[in-house]
Amino acid sequence: RYDAGPFLPPGGGLDAYREAAAGCEGCPLFERATQTVFGSGDESARIVLVGEQPGDQEDRQGEPFVGPAGKLLHRALTDAGLGEEPAYVTNAVKHFKWAPDERGKRRIHKPPTLRETHACYPWLDAELRLVSPDVIVALGATAGRALLGPSFRVTKDRGTPLPLSPTATPAQPDAHPPVVATLHPSAVLRATDRDTVYAALVTDLRTAAALLS
Ligand code: URA
């Protein structure tokens, strides 16, 4: 069974978890990735942003959202009035999943399976407990499924505060903040009607911003 659980440290803060996650072999994705990309940001952040998995740049640099999607995300946060707000940024899956293109030159991103996402959830759960934010933002379908359950659909579920899935948090569901799901920044980069899709992302981030206490 794929499961990060046995790799979690017995306790400690974000640094202890980050260090332990570096050695995670809870699913096969560690084999092809350069390194674990754990979350980054302030332990006292009021907002946690959850992406899918590290991309090519993130895999090389070891930090989440430092590539093109991250650049767009930071612009959207600023446009949503969150430019000065300390955020904790992480991913549902901590290793880059990829396959070589036909010429063997480029690393093509592959979406993680539900099984891989579930296997990695203990890390995300620990991050959410340690940071204990006022609001969680799920960026795209993978983060949405991890936090809101397998029937999550971006089109139907984005933009309104929803309770964290009870299956995602068996221990203490009441202690958890609302989740606002939105589009993944990469979906904005791929969209033909980029301005409209970008505006939707900013609108949803404003909805999340309004939940900060
Ligand atoms: N896309 C993601 O979902 N996460 C990253 O960290 C980078 C790109």
Side-chain angles (χ1 to χ4, degrees):
R1 202 165 91 80
Y2 295 175
D3 183 15
F7 295 88
L8 263 68
L14 281 174
D15 288 346
Y17 280 83
R18 181 176 292 106
E19 208 171 293
C24 188
E25 301 186 356
C27 84
L29 295 186
F30 78 92
E31 290 168 9
R32 265 193 175 172
T34 307
Q35 58 191 318
T36 303
V37 180
F38 203 69
S40 139
D42 211 324
E43 188 146 2
S44 59
R46 297 189 297 167
I47 183 164
V48 171
L49 299 145
V50 184
E52 181 192 73
Q53 63 168 334
D56 181 80
Q57 289 297 317
E58 289 79 14
D59 174 74
R60 293 171 200 274
Q61 296 183 40
E63 291 283 324
F65 284 107
V66 291
K71 226 175 134 181
L72 187 128
L73 176 61
H74 287 103
R75 180 155 67 86
L77 285 168
T78 301
D79 287 348
L82 289 165
E84 303 294 316
E85 178 67 30
Y88 184 85
V89 181
T90 190
N91 285 298
V93 171
K94 274 29 174 195
H95 281 115
F96 178 37
K97 183 177 183 181
W98 63 278
D101 68 0
E102 318 82 75
R103 296 164 62 219
K105 293 201 93 173
R106 284 183 54 223
R107 305 194 299 171
I108 307 298
H109 159 275
K110 296 276 171 199
T113 62
L114 198 56
R115 201 169 155 220
E116 289 155 349
T117 306
H118 284 162
C120 209
Y121 190 76
W123 295 119
L124 180 57
D125 179 62
E127 290 173 298
L128 294 174
R129 287 174 199 283
L130 288 166
V131 179
S132 185
D134 292 346
V135 62
I136 304 167
V137 176
L139 300 163
T142 298
R145 279 196 292 269
L147 295 163
L148 297 165
S151 61
F152 172 82
R153 296 291 176 272
V154 178
T155 43
K156 134 177 101 64
D157 297 321
R158 61 161 274 264
T160 55
L162 296 168
L164 197 65
S165 162
T167 56
T169 54
Q172 35 175 293
D174 296 347
H176 281 284
V179 179
V180 175
T182 186
L183 303 139
H184 194 284
S186 300
V188 179
L189 293 173
R190 281 193 307 266
T192 43
D193 53 342
R194 209 154 142 167
D195 292 353
T196 315
V197 181
Y198 178 78
L201 171 61
V202 173
T203 299
D204 296 345
L205 290 174
R206 282 214 182 90
T207 300
L211 296 170
L212 296 175
S213 52

